[in-house]
Amino acid sequence: IIVVNLVAPAINMVLGLEAKTRTDWVVKPEKDEDQDAALAMGVKLKEAERMSGADRAISDAYAAQIKTGLGWVEIGYNGFNPFGYRYQCGYVHRREIWWDWHDQDPGLKKARYLVRRKWYDEDVAIATFPQYEALIKNCLNNWSGWDPTTMEQAPPLYMDQSVERSFAYQDEEWRDTLRKRVCLYEVWYRTVERGFIIRYKSGRVVEFDEQNPVQKAAIMSGQAEIEAAIIPKMRQSWWMGPHRLVDIPTPYPHQDFPYVPFWGFREDRSGVPYGMIRAMKPLQDEVNARRARMLWQLSARRVFIDKDAVADHTKMMQEVARPDVYAKIDTQKGKRTISEMIKIEDNQGLTAQQFEVYQDAATKLQDAAGVYAQQLGKKGDADSGIAISQLIE
């Protein structure tokens, strides 16, 4: 199969432009007297950006955003390496995450759920949930050797086995008994409850805490007002197949998902994300098809021959297909010349036409991506450096 990849240079140019124009995070003060505090916070933020791997995570998510239309970055505590930095930022592949499609907000501020599906080795799963060691081992052993009459945890494990029997998912979806792995579903979901909030005159809003004397003093002094409100609450639960392991409030101080989506383009009606490659695929397919067609036409021959010109027409077809054809022509029949008995034509004219359409398709592919020839290192209409920079801008 002949493939001339014209998509890759355009995508690599866009990704390289992101890497070249990347800047460090900066904290800027709103007031002049806060200049020193902002400078100190900027130092800490720069440290977090460097130590958590945020730049690489953002670049990887940006690449997925450009190519396929969606990338994810996880921002949270570093719970698997106590010797590393406290916070971590990591790229998450789109195939691992499901989210509430009823919310079209780019930040998923009103989405009710987000699920991440990830495989863990047996020892990692047991270290994460040590209270379920017996359950994890029995699931990976297909409950072989389990005797409810001799086990100390027979009653709860008996219920777990009963639930597993009625589970409709295939075993391959959540456990690998050969590799000793389990697939854990990390479920984040929003609940709402009625409560009270404190609204300070400065604009700050916090949830009311009856045990907080500072909030009570602010209310009594008139510095803040208490209001009834609907308060969203984020919760986290972990599932292993049909077994719910944990269901707790979010460990983070905010009420958002710890996964940030990087959106490319989105369909207006369905909200389906897509990237730059979507507009380039039809023209890329046309370029590849025409390239293969031209190579075929260069070696193809059209033969017009009298039926009595040769004795074996099958052998004649094989000879014509060769670059060094050698065929025996019977010119004694009717005293005809070879040109009268056989005519061989190539497709040079058609190949030239195909090449013109091929070049047009290659140009249209760059137009569909919004990429100029100068950006790919090719010569174009603009020659000066300022003109090229303006085209890139």
Side-chain angles (χ1 to χ4, degrees):
I1 299 177
I2 305 300
V3 176
V4 181
N5 195 339
L6 300 178
V7 174
I11 298 300
N12 291 336
M13 184 277 302
V14 176
L15 300 183
L17 189 62
E18 182 270 335
K20 184 179 180 180
T21 58
R22 185 185 305 151
T23 57
D24 294 331
W25 299 345
V26 179
V27 177
K28 295 185 178 180
E30 295 183 355
K31 302 178 182 178
D32 294 337
E33 55 267 24
D34 297 333
Q35 188 72 33
D36 294 338
L39 182 61
M41 294 177 64
V43 173
K44 298 296 293 183
L45 184 62
K46 171 60 178 175
E47 174 188 321
E49 177 187 5
R50 183 182 71 256
M51 299 298 294
S52 65
D55 288 338
R56 178 58 185 266
I58 291 175
S59 293
D60 292 343
Y62 177 77
Q65 171 187 5
I66 293 299
K67 297 174 184 177
T68 63
L70 178 61
W72 294 90
V73 171
E74 178 188 11
I75 306 175
Y77 298 128
N78 186 358
F80 290 95
N81 184 11
F83 304 103
Y85 193 67
R86 182 184 180 187
Y87 306 104
Q88 65 177 0
C89 295
Y91 167 70
V92 180
H93 197 276
R94 63 188 179 278
R95 66 170 175 265
E96 296 184 9
I97 292 184
W98 291 262
W99 71 95
D100 183 6
W101 280 61
H102 288 91
D103 181 22
Q104 297 297 321
D105 183 85
L108 302 179
K109 296 297 183 181
K110 297 180 181 180
R112 299 304 301 271
Y113 67 87
L114 185 146
V115 182
R116 182 182 180 183
R117 178 179 181 268
K118 187 177 180 181
W119 287 90
Y120 293 85
D121 290 322
E122 180 183 16
D123 55 347
V124 177
I126 293 176
T128 306
F129 303 100
Q131 67 273 30
Y132 294 103
E133 179 179 359
L135 174 62
I136 295 173
K137 288 185 175 180
N138 281 299
C139 287
L140 291 178
N141 292 330
N142 280 327
W143 300 88
S144 61
W146 179 69
D147 186 0
T149 61
T150 59
M151 292 286 186
E152 295 181 359
Q153 298 180 351
L157 288 178
Y158 181 81
M159 294 298 297
D160 293 332
Q161 187 188 37
S162 178
V163 170
E164 191 174 311
R165 286 176 178 175
S166 60
F167 193 48
Y169 264 39
Q170 297 291 332
D171 287 353
E172 293 79 7
E173 293 289 334
W174 65 278
R175 63 180 170 188
D176 184 357
T177 57
L178 295 177
R179 178 65 170 75
K180 296 298 182 181
R181 296 189 308 163
V182 292
C183 185
L184 299 183
Y185 290 80
E186 179 186 352
V187 182
W188 297 84
Y189 64 99
R190 264 194 189 96
T191 61
V192 293
E193 60 183 38
R194 294 199 62 85
F196 295 93
I197 60 172
I198 299 294
R199 190 182 300 275
Y200 292 90
K201 289 185 176 180
S202 61
R204 183 187 177 200
V205 179
V206 296
E207 186 177 357
F208 177 63
D209 184 6
E210 295 181 357
Q211 307 299 326
N212 193 330
V214 177
Q215 292 185 359
K216 293 182 179 180
I219 296 174
M220 296 298 295
S221 63
Q223 297 297 320
E225 297 180 352
I226 184 171
E227 300 178 5
I230 299 177
I231 304 175
K233 295 288 185 178
M234 182 68 67
R235 295 188 64 85
Q236 179 192 27
S237 64
W238 287 82
W239 293 74
M240 182 182 65
H243 310 292
R244 187 179 66 173
L245 305 180
V246 173
D247 192 335
I248 58 175
T250 176
Y252 301 109
H254 57 77
Q255 300 298 321
D256 293 321
F257 300 117
Y259 297 96
V260 179
F262 281 59
W263 302 103
F265 306 103
R266 302 181 73 179
E267 293 182 355
D268 178 66
R269 182 176 182 180
S270 63
V272 172
Y274 64 95
M276 288 179 55
I277 299 179
R278 181 175 182 175
M280 305 166 71
K281 284 178 64 177
L283 293 170
Q284 176 67 74
D285 292 339
E286 180 183 356
V287 167
N288 294 335
R290 292 195 181 280
R291 181 80 177 185
R293 183 72 176 180
M294 285 190 299
L295 293 178
W296 176 82
Q297 286 181 339
L298 288 174
S299 59
R301 299 289 186 272
R302 294 188 298 175
V303 180
F304 303 90
I305 187 172
D306 288 347
K307 61 180 181 180
D308 57 348
V310 295
D312 190 348
H313 285 270
T314 302
K315 186 176 181 180
M316 182 63 181
M317 291 175 58
Q318 297 174 354
E319 289 293 332
V320 171
R322 295 174 52 182
D324 53 346
V325 56
Y326 180 82
K328 295 180 179 180
I329 308 298
D330 189 357
T331 59
Q332 299 300 322
K333 298 179 180 180
K335 302 296 183 179
R336 292 170 293 176
T337 62
I338 296 179
S339 59
E340 293 176 338
M341 300 175 62
I342 180 171
K343 181 181 180 182
I344 302 177
E345 296 181 354
D346 55 24
N347 296 296
Q348 296 298 328
L350 295 177
T351 303
Q353 297 176 12
Q354 289 279 6
F355 183 70
E356 292 178 2
V357 181
Y358 167 84
Q359 288 184 314
D360 180 71
T363 304
K364 290 294 190 296
L365 192 148
Q366 294 182 8
D367 295 341
V371 175
Y372 292 95
Q374 290 85 348
Q375 294 174 283
L376 298 176
K378 300 177 181 179
K379 184 175 179 58
D381 297 332
D383 295 329
S384 67
I386 297 178
I388 294 176
S389 298
Q390 289 179 345
L391 285 178
I392 296 177
E393 187 67 25

